[in-house]
Amino acid sequence: MTRRAQQTQAAATSFLALFSIVGLALYGLPLYYDFMVQEFGWSRTQVTSGNALSKLVIGPLFGFLAGWIIDRFGPRRIMLVGILLAGGALIGLGGMSALWMFYAFYLVNAIGYVCGGPLPNQVLLSQWFKDGRGKAMGFAYLGIGVGGALVPWLSYWMVQWWGWRGALRGLGVLIIVLAWPMAYFAKEAPPEAAASGRPGGTVPLRWVFRKPAFYLLIIGSMCSIAAVGGANQHLKLFMSLDAGYSQADAARIISLVLAFSIAGRLLMGWLADRMPKKQVMLIIYLLVAAAIPLLFFASSGAAMGLFAAIFGIGLGGEYLIIPLMAAELFGVRVL
């Protein structure tokens, strides 16, 4: 297999992994919160805390561990495990009957996200691509937008056919069927490609901790991802239980947000190859900040359409720009 073909395979693998683990699972799960609130009588705090608590627990415990495993053994093996965990968690959530089960399967889903989501895919693409890395990331991250745009309608139809429990199980199976075979056949980058991300070979991690830019990147990432994550986690609940939107209308708005995120990923990936990445990051953050106040006018269809456009474009570039900034500042070997 030629290097060009291997690069194409790596990009396709990342596209399907992100389509499944982020597009279908991360953006799909909040679509079921209102069903859980109505069936179990749980509060909104309880159902939205599943994502928050799982990230708070899994991030510190598994984040650096996953990074260490990827640095030592490559991203492919950990991706295989992550895909199985993410899909299995949704299957388990479809059969839960108690709050502790909800949190337990959300923890499993979070481990799947860390092991099979953006982190290993960022490393995989950074190893295979040097020139045009922004375009490669942009293409792979289109998987998030496509999956996120499809999952509201996919969930809406499956709920009509099988109920919300059957729909969750169906999403879990779909994640494994789509993403696992591609990750299994993906190739690890050759040693010379993996080492090309930073001059001079391996740099101790303490070198990164001494850089003020590392802490600025942490703070900016924390605030911006809190903004987009908080909006996404509450959007279906807000529209269906507060603003009075029907299931179909809520699916339409959420799908529109993720459809605009596709344009945002393409645009921000293109810009990141042509202008300073810091400026691209500032543009993305300003778009997100400008969009969220429009939710105060959720009763207006025009306001929600404008929100979907602005927020979607900002959302599209959000996760894309952070690894590009990190790779530029510190190199891909410590990504």
Side-chain angles (χ1 to χ4, degrees), residues 90-250:
L90 265 66
I91 295 171
L93 285 169
M96 67 176 178
S97 57
L99 189 60
W100 71 266
M101 299 173 69
F102 173 75
Y103 289 137
F105 284 120
Y106 235 120
L107 286 172
V108 174
N109 179 259
I111 298 173
Y113 178 88
V114 170
C115 294
L119 176 60
N121 287 286
Q122 290 158 10
V123 175
L124 180 68
L125 293 176
S126 294
Q127 289 177 349
W128 276 112
F129 293 88
K130 184 177 180 182
D131 298 326
R133 186 177 292 159
K135 285 184 287 187
M137 289 262 192
F139 169 77
Y141 274 65
L142 279 177
I144 299 176
V146 174
L150 289 177
V151 74
W153 291 112
L154 188 61
S155 294
Y156 174 74
W157 293 325
M158 289 196 301
V159 168
Q160 304 303 307
W161 298 332
W162 305 322
W164 70 267
R165 291 179 178 275
L168 271 175
R169 295 189 186 102
L171 282 181
V173 171
L174 188 61
I175 286 170
I176 296 171
V177 169
L178 288 177
W180 200 88
M182 283 296 293
Y184 180 82
F185 290 108
K187 305 294 183 183
E188 301 282 6
E192 63 273 14
S196 66
R198 184 180 62 249
T202 301
V203 173
L205 199 59
R206 62 178 179 272
W207 173 82
V208 176
F209 293 152
R210 293 172 182 167
K211 296 290 184 179
F214 175 71
Y215 300 97
L216 293 174
L217 187 62
I218 284 178
I219 294 169
S221 302
M222 177 186 70
C223 294
S224 62
I225 292 177
V228 297
N232 282 318
Q233 286 292 307
H234 290 268
L235 192 56
K236 173 78 182 304
L237 280 168
F238 173 68
M239 286 193 293
S240 63
L241 299 184
D242 292 329
Y245 283 77
S246 67
Q247 292 290 323
D249 287 338

Side-chain angles (χ1 to χ4, degrees), residues 17-28 113 116-118 143-144 147-148 265 319:
L18 295 175
F19 174 94
S20 301
I21 291 178
V22 185
L24 297 184
L26 182 67
Y27 292 121
Y113 178 88
I144 299 176
R265 285 181 175 86
Y319 292 94

Side-chain angles (χ1 to χ4, degrees), residues 38 102 128 166 231 266 323 325:
Q38 292 168 341
F102 173 75
W128 276 112
L266 289 172
M325 278 291 296

